[in-house]
Amino acid sequence: MRPSGRTASQIRPVTITRQYTCHAEGSVLVEFGNTKVLCNATVEEGVPRFMKGQGKGWVTAEYSMLPRATHTRSGREAARGKQGGRTLEIQRLIARSLRAALDLKLLGENTITLDCDVIQADGGTRTASITGACVALVDALTYMRSKGIIKTNPLKHMIAALSVGIYEGTPIADLEYTEDSEAETDMNIVMTETGKLIEVQGTAEGEPFSFEELDELLKIGKHGLRELFDIQKAALA
Amino acid sequence: MRPSGRTASQIRPVTITRQYTCHAEGSVLVEFGNTKVLCNATVEEGVPRFMKGQGKGWVTAEYSMLPRATHTRSGREAARGKQGGRTLEIQRLIARSLRAALDLKLLGENTITLDCDVIQADGGTRTASITGACVALVDALTYMRSKGIIKTNPLKHMIAALSVGIYEGTPIADLEYTEDSEAETDMNIVMTETGKLIEVQGTAEGEPFSFEELDELLKIGKHGLRELFDIQKAALA
Amino acid sequence: MRPSGRTASQIRPVTITRQYTCHAEGSVLVEFGNTKVLCNATVEEGVPRFMKGQGKGWVTAEYSMLPRATHTRSGREAARGKQGGRTLEIQRLIARSLRAALDLKLLGENTITLDCDVIQADGGTRTASITGACVALVDALTYMRSKGIIKTNPLKHMIAALSVGIYEGTPIADLEYTEDSEAETDMNIVMTETGKLIEVQGTAEGEPFSFEELDELLKIGKHGLRELFDIQKAALA
Amino acid sequence: MRPSGRTASQIRPVTITRQYTCHAEGSVLVEFGNTKVLCNATVEEGVPRFMKGQGKGWVTAEYSMLPRATHTRSGREAARGKQGGRTLEIQRLIARSLRAALDLKLLGENTITLDCDVIQADGGTRTASITGACVALVDALTYMRSKGIIKTNPLKHMIAALSVGIYEGTPIADLEYTEDSEAETDMNIVMTETGKLIEVQGTAEGEPFSFEELDELLKIGKHGLRELFDIQKAALA
Amino acid sequence: MRPSGRTASQIRPVTITRQYTCHAEGSVLVEFGNTKVLCNATVEEGVPRFMKGQGKGWVTAEYSMLPRATHTRSGREAARGKQGGRTLEIQRLIARSLRAALDLKLLGENTITLDCDVIQADGGTRTASITGACVALVDALTYMRSKGIIKTNPLKHMIAALSVGIYEGTPIADLEYTEDSEAETDMNIVMTETGKLIEVQGTAEGEPFSFEELDELLKIGKHGLRELFDIQKAALA
Amino acid sequence: MRPSGRTASQIRPVTITRQYTCHAEGSVLVEFGNTKVLCNATVEEGVPRFMKGQGKGWVTAEYSMLPRATHTRSGREAARGKQGGRTLEIQRLIARSLRAALDLKLLGENTITLDCDVIQADGGTRTASITGACVALVDALTYMRSKGIIKTNPLKHMIAALSVGIYEGTPIADLEYTEDSEAETDMNIVMTETGKLIEVQGTAEGEPFSFEELDELLKIGKHGLRELFDIQKAALA
């Protein structure tokens, strides 16, 4: 029995609210249960220096937790003067994942920045960020086409992400904080709507896991991700 | 005629939503029209080193704008590695103002941190922060009494803040961005519910202003602040 | 009776020494009693990026206290690796005030930087800085005209600044440190020689202050500022 | 055909030189072909603050590339004033992996730091680091037992790491730089000598990969890792 | 013929003004011609962590140039967020030199910090700093004895410093900026009043120098340093 | 008797290994006994901004100690976020010395960066760095000529560096750590193969030293440096 009362493969209620703020070209509040992340997409002309002159666009991401998104307050990174390793690791994952959703050549020399700010955290903030940011990205692309900045839709496929893990010996999907903090193994899966993998990151927090357990985790993840694609589609309809 | 269509002394619709997030001891979303600020109050044992051993508490604040709270994206301070002068100036004002609302001796050697994160900006973010943070502070104090951390309520009086300014020669209240960016003079007033002043900051953005204009700005501000105190009271009822 | 033995409205002896150092285009040592600030004006071609192409000039300021300008040594900001909030707040005020003294269009695309370094502190360093920096600015403008960099004098009016406060219930002018540290209310006024306001910043350090007290503070400040303008004029004669 | 001329599952010649430097409690130069990493283990009394009082030890890691370990010089992180996201991500992985090799309770309140400095890079620096650091860790543990700092060997199992990837549609093991830069999918596997997984990180650099391809990558990785365990054992014999 | 019109061994007029500011335990303005450095000595209880428990005191130094001490404005280090290599090199030299003037055991576990702030620069700022700081140090020691903090004078001998160099093939003493910027060799000598060396730093700026030239530089330096000791003594009389 | 068993003027066995790593244009491992420094030379087109348009090249250097190059681990500067004063002082010395070896006009507008990374430290790391970096520089120049980047060899003369010091009253050459930590005086000499001086830095660590002792130190240094030039030559043969 999970602390959340959910079945092993059951994901939390997921809500995707578009146009959550008024200035961004794409603005999505994504909620996985009590985890709430604001994903804003910004379209800017030009690309970073290392990309110049290749006729291709760029997608980047920044991730942050509000100091009191968590049970106890964590110090503000701006006040400490640097972003922590966890933050950098997560925003690199978000950016890499979303770049894999686009044909960067069709984006022209433009940059889309995805700001994922965690308003409230209850496990799975990085996977919620990716899932929400993909919807914000689609809205930003629609904006770009409406303004004539791009002609062809660069989106190759939607992507979504889900956390899975081994909790008291059983593989479960979409861990909330109380489950996550006790899980032996923690895995994040980023998948395309066509059922292919963008990123798989599995970590033994306690005991090492077997190749068979990895297999089960992938299966349960794949199942939950199908649901997420349906929710994204409904939100974009 | 104001760009906003409001009369000179008319403030925007103000909404105060308590318990906006679930972890903080006080959590308020305050909205002044399109300006939306999340004010979270955190209670922690102990005080900063320079306050130790005085038997008094401390109130501090941190302020931040989400990168896309504004029309164009502004760089994330955590990524740049330092907080800008504007940020520091605002969070010093917020903290100073809220300290003036409390009898710090009654707080014991505890610290309350007010995190004011601007979700969406349309002028007046610092005054909205102070107005919302005071409500979050009250909730944090209630929490402290319920947990037996303090016995007596340290609140001396509610405080609220309002921006006023001279726009096309006329004093107006609660400027939104389009008004603010064109105003000749910009002033922030922090007042107690008993009608006394905590802070007055008036700045000539264009032409200098006369002592008479200052007087008019104070009057129009005082009027709008009365409304804010009613809205705070209603929210706390 | 004030600790300084002065009457309520009496300012300290003020000395303005021009050409204090030999390299700067304007170099002023300003003394308000024991408060001593070196104000150097530097003229440089060009403007910051955000001002380029507007045909206008820029005025900026930097403020610093030598570590042992005060009773106890304060850590050097360069060694700590960042400027504190108080420093940033003050230098923003100095720069804003001095920009209000000039018609930036007549300055051409040139920048004047005012470095205000506090050699010795005894209260009122920010107002002394503004008062002295305005004289250094005038010398820098004279230099620019003599070199043919500008043709018309961009100075609209002299500005000066004075601190006022409520000490033991009485409004007093030009607080020195022992008065300042005990004052209930502290206010800085930046005024033009034509009697208009550039900046008003009043803060309740202890008890909130009434609108009537604010009025009295403004009056006493206006009076002291008239004296400062005479001293500036004499120094420039 | 691989650019390296190797067969798909063939790893590079791997050399492990112990006692490479004279001061560290464990000092290993590990070479995977042209990739050369110096792994130094340092034993220090005490644990970081967040671990204090739990009677457990801690293992941490730092990773760095010498500026000219690569084809073109990359800026020195110490000179830039911060470690990049890639560096932080890698050193977090190394530390996490090695912690999984130990029973931290048997380590007592001591800390082992693993410094992995890349002398020369040709792909696979993070997996080489883990593989070499595990040997340095064993030497540090031996040192600790010889000094009576610990009584029981905390090592649960050796760990090693290998990179695998899909190159021109074929899964290959132990990619060198020319292969890595062209690979569609890149995966790092950290395994125990008992054949269980510590960490799996697979990333689609170009096209997404299928669950079947993931399976093949895991198989080829498992095979290569067996060889690495033999090399570690020989080095420690 | 020197640009300064001085003879080869002639030093500039040197002035030492004690009690230049009112707060520091020792406060000296030292002038070597147009080079003006304010040297403030601060006495504080305790020593840095690495010195604790040895029953010895510590002397440290910080050096800074005001931004407009020089012909063109140099960026403020506090604003850039770090002290440059030149600054660190100079303040290490000043501190090392002054530590050599004291018997640190007689200082008790107290720290003296010497802040050397260059008000105006015209060559030789580091040697002027050392020469002036030694006088400020003596005043701080007198203060310590008068307060009963120490009983015995820890001063072993006065120290002073002088720059010498090879200019157009001729060794000269006490270079001013125009001479320094053209000199082939630049050397700083720190000496005790008893004629022994604390520090010798000679650098070929252009052509390498011979052992014979080094000898001549030492001789001319020794001669000028004798004069500096007389000036220090007169100032302390 | 020296702790090392060497005679007063005897230097340690010195080894220079060229092409130590495969990517750099010059790559030298230099060993002075147990002191081992990797000196990599990188050739890059262009010069720093302050050198542009003068038709001259630039030589710069960076120095670092691996955290466990020493007996106890020293914190990684990249992790601390800044380079220490000692590091900056040393890398400025290395760069200055090597610039003195070249005719920068013959280098064209190109930059050579010398990265000196200390693998293992046992005293004299800065002098070993200079001695090894000069060989790496020669290899980089050979590379530049072979690629047609430069036509004429800019090398004016080889340079080498040696530490000397006074140990138990006797001048000795090439101090290792146990000697260095007990030496009363420490001196570094950088010389050209033609017997002229580039840099002399002598410091009294304990007692001041006499002009006669300085003379003896220079003599013993000159003698040891002759040996170093022979070893450089043999390595380059």
Side-chain angles (χ1 to χ4, degrees), chain A residues 30 37 39 90 93-95 97-98 116 125-135 159-162 188-191 199 232:
Chain A
V30 63
V37 187
C39 308
I90 293 177
L93 169 64
I94 299 171
S97 297
L98 289 163
C116 299
T125 62
R126 78 188 73 188
T127 44
S129 293
I130 292 168
T131 306
C134 189
V135 176
I159 68 163
L162 191 65
N188 295 295
I189 307 171
V190 188
M191 201 175 82
E199 188 103 15
Q232 281 182 335

PDB file of all heavy atoms in Angstrom, chain A residues 30 37 39 90 93-95 97-98 116 125-135 159-162 188-191 199 232:
ATOM      1  N   VAL A  30       1.467  23.825 -14.380  1.00  0.00           N
ATOM      2  CA  VAL A  30       1.236  22.385 -14.413  1.00  0.00           C
ATOM      3  C   VAL A  30       1.190  21.886 -12.967  1.00  0.00           C
ATOM      4  O   VAL A  30       1.993  22.291 -12.129  1.00  0.00           O
ATOM      5  CB  VAL A  30       2.332  21.665 -15.232  1.00  0.00           C
ATOM      6  CG1 VAL A  30       3.703  21.833 -14.609  1.00  0.00           C
ATOM      7  CG2 VAL A  30       2.004  20.183 -15.380  1.00  0.00           C
ATOM      8  N   VAL A  37       4.112  23.775 -10.815  1.00  0.00           N
ATOM      9  CA  VAL A  37       5.237  24.445 -11.478  1.00  0.00           C
ATOM     10  C   VAL A  37       4.706  25.404 -12.533  1.00  0.00           C
ATOM     11  O   VAL A  37       3.847  25.035 -13.337  1.00  0.00           O
ATOM     12  CB  VAL A  37       6.179  23.420 -12.150  1.00  0.00           C
ATOM     13  CG1 VAL A  37       7.431  24.121 -12.694  1.00  0.00           C
ATOM     14  CG2 VAL A  37       6.584  22.314 -11.185  1.00  0.00           C
ATOM     15  N   CYS A  39       5.506  27.229 -15.849  1.00  0.00           N
ATOM     16  CA  CYS A  39       6.422  27.076 -16.981  1.00  0.00           C
ATOM     17  C   CYS A  39       6.165  28.207 -17.979  1.00  0.00           C
ATOM     18  O   CYS A  39       5.129  28.200 -18.650  1.00  0.00           O
ATOM     19  CB  CYS A  39       6.215  25.728 -17.679  1.00  0.00           C
ATOM     20  SG  CYS A  39       6.256  24.306 -16.567  1.00  0.00           S
ATOM     21  N   ILE A  90      19.061  19.767 -13.125  1.00  0.00           N
ATOM     22  CA  ILE A  90      17.661  19.691 -13.567  1.00  0.00           C
ATOM     23  C   ILE A  90      17.427  20.573 -14.784  1.00  0.00           C
ATOM     24  O   ILE A  90      16.791  20.172 -15.749  1.00  0.00           O
ATOM     25  CB  ILE A  90      16.709  20.070 -12.415  1.00  0.00           C
ATOM     26  CG1 ILE A  90      16.779  19.002 -11.315  1.00  0.00           C
ATOM     27  CG2 ILE A  90      15.280  20.231 -12.918  1.00  0.00           C
ATOM     28  CD1 ILE A  90      15.936  19.305 -10.080  1.00  0.00           C
ATOM     29  N   LEU A  93      18.695  19.027 -17.875  1.00  0.00           N
ATOM     30  CA  LEU A  93      17.809  17.932 -18.320  1.00  0.00           C
ATOM     31  C   LEU A  93      16.579  18.491 -19.041  1.00  0.00           C
ATOM     32  O   LEU A  93      16.182  17.985 -20.106  1.00  0.00           O
ATOM     33  CB  LEU A  93      17.373  17.111 -17.094  1.00  0.00           C
ATOM     34  CG  LEU A  93      16.253  16.096 -17.321  1.00  0.00           C
ATOM     35  CD1 LEU A  93      16.681  15.001 -18.289  1.00  0.00           C
ATOM     36  CD2 LEU A  93      15.792  15.466 -15.997  1.00  0.00           C
ATOM     37  N   ILE A  94      15.962  19.530 -18.485  1.00  0.00           N
ATOM     38  CA  ILE A  94      14.761  20.109 -19.106  1.00  0.00           C
ATOM     39  C   ILE A  94      15.091  20.630 -20.502  1.00  0.00           C
ATOM     40  O   ILE A  94      14.389  20.351 -21.482  1.00  0.00           O
ATOM     41  CB  ILE A  94      14.185  21.255 -18.237  1.00  0.00           C
ATOM     42  CG1 ILE A  94      13.784  20.742 -16.849  1.00  0.00           C
ATOM     43  CG2 ILE A  94      12.993  21.915 -18.932  1.00  0.00           C
ATOM     44  CD1 ILE A  94      13.405  21.843 -15.852  1.00  0.00           C
ATOM     45  N   ALA A  95      16.183  21.382 -20.596  1.00  0.00           N
ATOM     46  CA  ALA A  95      16.548  21.989 -21.874  1.00  0.00           C
ATOM     47  C   ALA A  95      16.851  20.917 -22.928  1.00  0.00           C
ATOM     48  O   ALA A  95      16.370  20.976 -24.064  1.00  0.00           O
ATOM     49  CB  ALA A  95      17.754  22.905 -21.688  1.00  0.00           C
ATOM     50  N   SER A  97      15.864  17.863 -23.037  1.00  0.00           N
ATOM     51  CA  SER A  97      14.661  17.134 -23.400  1.00  0.00           C
ATOM     52  C   SER A  97      13.832  17.912 -24.412  1.00  0.00           C
ATOM     53  O   SER A  97      13.353  17.359 -25.409  1.00  0.00           O
ATOM     54  CB  SER A  97      13.821  16.856 -22.148  1.00  0.00           C
ATOM     55  OG  SER A  97      14.539  16.028 -21.250  1.00  0.00           O
ATOM     56  N   LEU A  98      13.669  19.202 -24.180  1.00  0.00           N
ATOM     57  CA  LEU A  98      12.817  19.977 -25.068  1.00  0.00           C
ATOM     58  C   LEU A  98      13.471  20.235 -26.416  1.00  0.00           C
ATOM     59  O   LEU A  98      12.790  20.348 -27.431  1.00  0.00           O
ATOM     60  CB  LEU A  98      12.368  21.268 -24.382  1.00  0.00           C
ATOM     61  CG  LEU A  98      11.359  20.950 -23.272  1.00  0.00           C
ATOM     62  CD1 LEU A  98      11.196  22.109 -22.318  1.00  0.00           C
ATOM     63  CD2 LEU A  98      10.017  20.540 -23.870  1.00  0.00           C
ATOM     64  N   CYS A 116      11.103  27.368 -15.565  1.00  0.00           N
ATOM     65  CA  CYS A 116      10.276  26.483 -14.753  1.00  0.00           C
ATOM     66  C   CYS A 116      10.475  26.847 -13.283  1.00  0.00           C
ATOM     67  O   CYS A 116      11.515  26.541 -12.703  1.00  0.00           O
ATOM     68  CB  CYS A 116      10.652  25.024 -15.012  1.00  0.00           C
ATOM     69  SG  CYS A 116      10.402  24.551 -16.729  1.00  0.00           S
ATOM     70  N   THR A 125       9.223  17.329  -9.339  1.00  0.00           N
ATOM     71  CA  THR A 125       9.168  18.669  -9.934  1.00  0.00           C
ATOM     72  C   THR A 125       9.848  18.712 -11.302  1.00  0.00           C
ATOM     73  O   THR A 125       9.434  19.460 -12.171  1.00  0.00           O
ATOM     74  CB  THR A 125       9.828  19.724  -9.013  1.00  0.00           C
ATOM     75  OG1 THR A 125      11.217  19.411  -8.836  1.00  0.00           O
ATOM     76  CG2 THR A 125       9.154  19.766  -7.644  1.00  0.00           C
ATOM     77  N   ARG A 126      10.874  17.901 -11.508  1.00  0.00           N
ATOM     78  CA  ARG A 126      11.554  17.977 -12.795  1.00  0.00           C
ATOM     79  C   ARG A 126      10.726  17.359 -13.914  1.00  0.00           C
ATOM     80  O   ARG A 126      10.709  17.872 -15.035  1.00  0.00           O
ATOM     81  CB  ARG A 126      12.963  17.400 -12.733  1.00  0.00           C
ATOM     82  CG  ARG A 126      13.107  15.890 -12.744  1.00  0.00           C
ATOM     83  CD  ARG A 126      14.538  15.462 -12.494  1.00  0.00           C
ATOM     84  NE  ARG A 126      14.889  15.668 -11.083  1.00  0.00           N
ATOM     85  CZ  ARG A 126      16.114  15.525 -10.584  1.00  0.00           C
ATOM     86  NH1 ARG A 126      17.118  15.161 -11.371  1.00  0.00           N
ATOM     87  NH2 ARG A 126      16.344  15.711  -9.300  1.00  0.00           N
ATOM     88  N   THR A 127      10.011  16.275 -13.577  1.00  0.00           N
ATOM     89  CA  THR A 127       9.183  15.653 -14.616  1.00  0.00           C
ATOM     90  C   THR A 127       7.938  16.503 -14.885  1.00  0.00           C
ATOM     91  O   THR A 127       7.511  16.647 -16.036  1.00  0.00           O
ATOM     92  CB  THR A 127       8.814  14.206 -14.226  1.00  0.00           C
ATOM     93  OG1 THR A 127       8.421  14.174 -12.842  1.00  0.00           O
ATOM     94  CG2 THR A 127      10.007  13.288 -14.400  1.00  0.00           C
ATOM     95  N   ALA A 128       7.370  17.112 -13.851  1.00  0.00           N
ATOM     96  CA  ALA A 128       6.260  18.039 -14.079  1.00  0.00           C
ATOM     97  C   ALA A 128       6.710  19.211 -14.941  1.00  0.00           C
ATOM     98  O   ALA A 128       6.005  19.642 -15.860  1.00  0.00           O
ATOM     99  CB  ALA A 128       5.697  18.534 -12.746  1.00  0.00           C
ATOM    100  N   SER A 129       7.923  19.709 -14.652  1.00  0.00           N
ATOM    101  CA  SER A 129       8.461  20.836 -15.427  1.00  0.00           C
ATOM    102  C   SER A 129       8.527  20.503 -16.909  1.00  0.00           C
ATOM    103  O   SER A 129       8.115  21.293 -17.759  1.00  0.00           O
ATOM    104  CB  SER A 129       9.871  21.200 -14.939  1.00  0.00           C
ATOM    105  OG  SER A 129       9.835  21.718 -13.624  1.00  0.00           O
ATOM    106  N   ILE A 130       9.065  19.337 -17.225  1.00  0.00           N
ATOM    107  CA  ILE A 130       9.206  18.951 -18.639  1.00  0.00           C
ATOM    108  C   ILE A 130       7.832  18.810 -19.292  1.00  0.00           C
ATOM    109  O   ILE A 130       7.595  19.296 -20.394  1.00  0.00           O
ATOM    110  CB  ILE A 130      10.009  17.634 -18.765  1.00  0.00           C
ATOM    111  CG1 ILE A 130      11.464  17.891 -18.341  1.00  0.00           C
ATOM    112  CG2 ILE A 130       9.955  17.073 -20.176  1.00  0.00           C
ATOM    113  CD1 ILE A 130      12.298  16.622 -18.145  1.00  0.00           C
ATOM    114  N   THR A 131       6.921  18.163 -18.584  1.00  0.00           N
ATOM    115  CA  THR A 131       5.587  17.928 -19.129  1.00  0.00           C
ATOM    116  C   THR A 131       4.853  19.246 -19.374  1.00  0.00           C
ATOM    117  O   THR A 131       4.205  19.437 -20.412  1.00  0.00           O
ATOM    118  CB  THR A 131       4.779  17.024 -18.165  1.00  0.00           C
ATOM    119  OG1 THR A 131       5.534  15.834 -17.917  1.00  0.00           O
ATOM    120  CG2 THR A 131       3.419  16.685 -18.722  1.00  0.00           C
ATOM    121  N   GLY A 132       4.973  20.178 -18.435  1.00  0.00           N
ATOM    122  CA  GLY A 132       4.322  21.478 -18.601  1.00  0.00           C
ATOM    123  C   GLY A 132       5.029  22.359 -19.611  1.00  0.00           C
ATOM    124  O   GLY A 132       4.384  23.054 -20.409  1.00  0.00           O
ATOM    125  N   ALA A 133       6.360  22.328 -19.584  1.00  0.00           N
ATOM    126  CA  ALA A 133       7.135  23.188 -20.474  1.00  0.00           C
ATOM    127  C   ALA A 133       6.868  22.834 -21.932  1.00  0.00           C
ATOM    128  O   ALA A 133       6.901  23.702 -22.811  1.00  0.00           O
ATOM    129  CB  ALA A 133       8.624  23.068 -20.162  1.00  0.00           C
ATOM    130  N   CYS A 134       6.582  21.566 -22.206  1.00  0.00           N
ATOM    131  CA  CYS A 134       6.327  21.168 -23.596  1.00  0.00           C
ATOM    132  C   CYS A 134       5.050  21.845 -24.110  1.00  0.00           C
ATOM    133  O   CYS A 134       4.980  22.267 -25.263  1.00  0.00           O
ATOM    134  CB  CYS A 134       6.244  19.643 -23.718  1.00  0.00           C
ATOM    135  SG  CYS A 134       6.205  19.101 -25.436  1.00  0.00           S
ATOM    136  N   VAL A 135       4.059  21.999 -23.237  1.00  0.00           N
ATOM    137  CA  VAL A 135       2.827  22.688 -23.634  1.00  0.00           C
ATOM    138  C   VAL A 135       3.099  24.186 -23.832  1.00  0.00           C
ATOM    139  O   VAL A 135       2.633  24.796 -24.807  1.00  0.00           O
ATOM    140  CB  VAL A 135       1.711  22.450 -22.588  1.00  0.00           C
ATOM    141  CG1 VAL A 135       0.462  23.235 -22.946  1.00  0.00           C
ATOM    142  CG2 VAL A 135       1.396  20.963 -22.483  1.00  0.00           C
ATOM    143  N   ILE A 159       6.597  15.767 -25.999  1.00  0.00           N
ATOM    144  CA  ILE A 159       7.323  14.942 -25.032  1.00  0.00           C
ATOM    145  C   ILE A 159       6.684  15.131 -23.660  1.00  0.00           C
ATOM    146  O   ILE A 159       6.021  16.137 -23.397  1.00  0.00           O
ATOM    147  CB  ILE A 159       8.833  15.289 -24.960  1.00  0.00           C
ATOM    148  CG1 ILE A 159       9.035  16.689 -24.367  1.00  0.00           C
ATOM    149  CG2 ILE A 159       9.506  15.157 -26.313  1.00  0.00           C
ATOM    150  CD1 ILE A 159      10.453  16.937 -23.901  1.00  0.00           C
ATOM    151  N   ALA A 160       6.849  14.142 -22.814  1.00  0.00           N
ATOM    152  CA  ALA A 160       6.375  14.245 -21.438  1.00  0.00           C
ATOM    153  C   ALA A 160       7.341  13.456 -20.568  1.00  0.00           C
ATOM    154  O   ALA A 160       8.162  12.680 -21.087  1.00  0.00           O
ATOM    155  CB  ALA A 160       4.961  13.697 -21.294  1.00  0.00           C
ATOM    156  N   ALA A 161       7.257  13.655 -19.264  1.00  0.00           N
ATOM    157  CA  ALA A 161       8.200  12.994 -18.354  1.00  0.00           C
ATOM    158  C   ALA A 161       7.479  12.520 -17.107  1.00  0.00           C
ATOM    159  O   ALA A 161       6.489  13.119 -16.665  1.00  0.00           O
ATOM    160  CB  ALA A 161       9.320  13.958 -17.967  1.00  0.00           C
ATOM    161  N   LEU A 162       7.966  11.417 -16.557  1.00  0.00           N
ATOM    162  CA  LEU A 162       7.349  10.841 -15.374  1.00  0.00           C
ATOM    163  C   LEU A 162       8.436  10.247 -14.484  1.00  0.00           C
ATOM    164  O   LEU A 162       9.422   9.703 -14.972  1.00  0.00           O
ATOM    165  CB  LEU A 162       6.358   9.749 -15.773  1.00  0.00           C
ATOM    166  CG  LEU A 162       5.444   9.219 -14.662  1.00  0.00           C
ATOM    167  CD1 LEU A 162       4.495  10.303 -14.160  1.00  0.00           C
ATOM    168  CD2 LEU A 162       4.646   8.020 -15.170  1.00  0.00           C
ATOM    169  N   ASN A 188      13.735   8.766 -13.628  1.00  0.00           N
ATOM    170  CA  ASN A 188      12.974   9.727 -14.428  1.00  0.00           C
ATOM    171  C   ASN A 188      13.032   9.297 -15.878  1.00  0.00           C
ATOM    172  O   ASN A 188      14.104   8.986 -16.398  1.00  0.00           O
ATOM    173  CB  ASN A 188      13.565  11.125 -14.272  1.00  0.00           C
ATOM    174  CG  ASN A 188      13.413  11.616 -12.846  1.00  0.00           C
ATOM    175  OD1 ASN A 188      12.312  11.829 -12.363  1.00  0.00           O
ATOM    176  ND2 ASN A 188      14.539  11.775 -12.148  1.00  0.00           N
ATOM    177  N   ILE A 189      11.865   9.287 -16.511  1.00  0.00           N
ATOM    178  CA  ILE A 189      11.790   8.872 -17.909  1.00  0.00           C
ATOM    179  C   ILE A 189      11.196  10.019 -18.722  1.00  0.00           C
ATOM    180  O   ILE A 189      10.143  10.545 -18.371  1.00  0.00           O
ATOM    181  CB  ILE A 189      10.891   7.626 -18.074  1.00  0.00           C
ATOM    182  CG1 ILE A 189      11.363   6.514 -17.123  1.00  0.00           C
ATOM    183  CG2 ILE A 189      10.865   7.144 -19.511  1.00  0.00           C
ATOM    184  CD1 ILE A 189      10.392   5.332 -17.060  1.00  0.00           C
ATOM    185  N   VAL A 190      11.900  10.387 -19.782  1.00  0.00           N
ATOM    186  CA  VAL A 190      11.361  11.381 -20.714  1.00  0.00           C
ATOM    187  C   VAL A 190      11.079  10.657 -22.024  1.00  0.00           C
ATOM    188  O   VAL A 190      11.976  10.015 -22.580  1.00  0.00           O
ATOM    189  CB  VAL A 190      12.349  12.541 -20.950  1.00  0.00           C
ATOM    190  CG1 VAL A 190      11.688  13.637 -21.767  1.00  0.00           C
ATOM    191  CG2 VAL A 190      12.890  13.089 -19.637  1.00  0.00           C
ATOM    192  N   MET A 191       9.837  10.736 -22.497  1.00  0.00           N
ATOM    193  CA  MET A 191       9.448   9.935 -23.651  1.00  0.00           C
ATOM    194  C   MET A 191       8.742  10.808 -24.685  1.00  0.00           C
ATOM    195  O   MET A 191       8.189  11.859 -24.349  1.00  0.00           O
ATOM    196  CB  MET A 191       8.501   8.814 -23.182  1.00  0.00           C
ATOM    197  CG  MET A 191       8.388   7.630 -24.118  1.00  0.00           C
ATOM    198  SD  MET A 191       7.347   6.289 -23.400  1.00  0.00           S
ATOM    199  CE  MET A 191       5.712   6.886 -23.782  1.00  0.00           C
ATOM    200  N   GLU A 199      15.229  10.392 -22.583  1.00  0.00           N
ATOM    201  CA  GLU A 199      16.162  10.368 -21.453  1.00  0.00           C
ATOM    202  C   GLU A 199      15.663   9.348 -20.427  1.00  0.00           C
ATOM    203  O   GLU A 199      14.469   9.270 -20.139  1.00  0.00           O
ATOM    204  CB  GLU A 199      16.221  11.759 -20.805  1.00  0.00           C
ATOM    205  CG  GLU A 199      17.267  11.929 -19.759  1.00  0.00           C
ATOM    206  CD  GLU A 199      18.510  12.705 -20.229  1.00  0.00           C
ATOM    207  OE1 GLU A 199      18.474  13.368 -21.287  1.00  0.00           O
ATOM    208  OE2 GLU A 199      19.531  12.628 -19.536  1.00  0.00           O
ATOM    209  N   GLN A 232      -2.011  16.313 -21.968  1.00  0.00           N
ATOM    210  CA  GLN A 232      -1.437  17.409 -22.764  1.00  0.00           C
ATOM    211  C   GLN A 232      -2.335  17.723 -23.961  1.00  0.00           C
ATOM    212  O   GLN A 232      -2.611  18.888 -24.246  1.00  0.00           O
ATOM    213  CB  GLN A 232      -0.053  17.018 -23.286  1.00  0.00           C
ATOM    214  CG  GLN A 232       1.082  17.144 -22.271  1.00  0.00           C
ATOM    215  CD  GLN A 232       2.435  16.769 -22.883  1.00  0.00           C
ATOM    216  OE1 GLN A 232       2.500  16.011 -23.855  1.00  0.00           O
ATOM    217  NE2 GLN A 232       3.516  17.282 -22.310  1.00  0.00           N
TER     218      GLN A 232
END
